Amino acid sequence: MVRGGVCDPQPSLMIDVLISTRGQMMSNISQSPLAWLELETPADAPPPSPLTVRAQTLPARSFFPHHAHAWGQVVYAISGVLTVATDRRSFVISPEQAVWLPPATNHKVGSLHGAEFRSLWVALDAANALSRHPSVFRVSPLLRALIMEAADLPEGSAVGGYRSRVTRLIFDQLERAEPISTALPWPVSEPLSRLCEALYADPSDDRSADRWSRTLGMSPRTLTRRFEAEVGMGLRSWRRRVRLFKAVELLSGGMDVTRTAMELGYGSPSAFTYAFRTVMGQSPQAYMRVTGSAAKVS
């Protein structure tokens, strides 16, 4: 994996969501109108030797509270979207991405809509060959298949040799993985964090900056200045990027292109397709075919 260091935090399309401690998407769980389910973190688990793969279904609105391991961890979901929060940064990932957490990284993991969670615990010796910083990387089709295979392997010596070969291939893929340098910034202040959480929950929300400024109790000029200072881009640009991230989430879940366009507030499927192609370089249908998702062409 990235041997060089931290992902470039310059604003771009999606995935690596930079969130302050006060602004983390999961930080105000207790204030949410719908309660979140706190899951039990693994207790007294033996260390990986050299790799342990855990499979777990995360219900909607569930999370593991802050904790840390003495070993490295790859956080991944074969379906659904995860939010992975560390002390300084947070990442929102779809099934095409995973998060690398070095040993002793304090973190919590949650899912708003539910996910099929796959956690790879990596022994210290192997973890030392990877990045020393939390980072997001793209999961290749081969690595995805290897993770699923490793999770399905039964315990026992009969498959020991095969298990070792699968493990070696997983480590090879992790060492080759490159970090995703694109990022969706998140604001530091509480008022702007509330604004972004609302737009993330409902990307079709078309309230103008003037209306948001009244809601947040500040002038339109102050809202514009503070948003650009904290996020690094204007509200309109940020809104476009959130819509595209949500588009990948909805399409990955099998929603067809027409309904996805309507859910995200686009005037027509063609307008959505144009916006998607402009940033992603291909149509929604082509993108989902490449990633192996179940989106329907319409």
Side-chain angles (χ1 to χ4, degrees):
M1 183 175 283
V2 206
R3 299 172 183 268
V6 186
C7 300
D8 176 11
Q10 293 301 313
S12 190
L13 172 58
M14 59 182 178
I15 309 308
D16 177 4
V17 182
L18 309 180
I19 307 177
S20 74
T21 302
R22 285 167 40 191
Q24 288 177 355
M25 292 169 59
M26 294 187 294
S27 64
N28 295 323
I29 290 171
S30 61
Q31 301 175 15
S32 173
L34 296 176
W36 283 67
L37 172 66
E38 182 173 323
L39 304 174
E40 185 176 352
T41 58
D44 302 322
S49 180
L51 179 73
T52 298
V53 181
R54 298 181 63 250
Q56 186 169 352
T57 299
L58 301 189
R61 305 186 73 84
S62 65
F63 73 104
F64 293 102
H66 274 294
H67 63 286
H69 306 293
W71 46 82
Q73 182 178 5
V74 174
V75 178
Y76 179 61
I78 60 174
S79 66
V81 173
L82 297 175
T83 300
V84 186
T86 67
D87 288 339
R88 297 184 59 188
R89 313 177 73 190
S90 291
F91 311 91
V92 176
I93 58 171
S94 63
E96 290 77 44
Q97 299 89 30
V99 172
W100 164 246
L101 300 172
T105 300
N106 193 37
H107 65 282
K108 62 180 176 180
V109 179
S111 180
L112 179 62
H113 300 296
E116 285 298 324
F117 180 43
R118 300 296 182 268
S119 177
L120 281 66
W121 290 352
V122 179
L124 278 174
D125 287 348
N128 288 336
L130 306 178
S131 173
R132 296 183 180 181
H133 305 281
S135 56
V136 180
F137 64 94
R138 193 171 302 281
V139 175
S140 68
L142 174 57
L143 179 55
R144 173 185 168 86
L146 289 168
I147 292 173
M148 295 174 68
E149 177 70 4
D152 290 340
L153 285 177
E155 296 294 335
S157 58
V159 295
Y162 178 66
R163 184 191 303 278
S164 297
R165 292 192 293 273
V166 171
T167 297
R168 182 63 262 169
L169 286 171
I170 289 175
F171 287 157
D172 286 345
Q173 285 290 296
L174 293 178
E175 291 172 7
R176 290 168 57 88
E178 294 292 335
I180 297 173
S181 59
T182 54
L184 176 66
W186 201 267
V188 173
S189 63
E190 180 61 27
L192 297 188
S193 180
R194 293 205 313 270
L195 183 161
C196 290
E197 287 177 5
L199 294 180
Y200 181 87
D202 181 14
S204 65
D205 185 333
D206 61 356
R207 278 177 285 180
S208 65
D210 286 350
R211 289 184 60 189
W212 272 113
S213 66
R214 291 194 294 270
T215 299
L216 299 175
M218 62 181 73
S219 70
R221 178 176 295 181
T222 298
L223 172 60
T224 299
R225 176 177 52 81
R226 287 183 58 180
F227 197 93
E228 291 182 352
E230 293 186 26
V231 178
M233 66 177 67
L235 178 58
R236 179 178 298 179
S237 297
W238 191 91
R239 195 192 300 259
R240 284 198 297 265
R241 298 183 191 283
V242 169
R243 283 181 171 181
L244 286 170
F245 178 80
K246 295 290 285 189
V248 172
E249 178 182 347
L250 295 175
L251 292 168
S252 297
M255 186 177 290
D256 63 58
V257 172
T258 297
R259 186 178 170 196
T260 297
M262 299 301 102
E263 287 282 335
L264 298 178
Y266 287 93
S268 65
S270 60
F272 164 60
T273 298
Y274 176 80
F276 193 96
R277 188 193 300 274
T278 298
V279 176
M280 304 298 290
Q282 55 189 329
S283 69
Q285 297 92 333
Y287 178 85
M288 303 319 291
R289 280 196 296 269
V290 169
T291 58
S293 299
K296 301 174 184 177
V297 177
S298 63

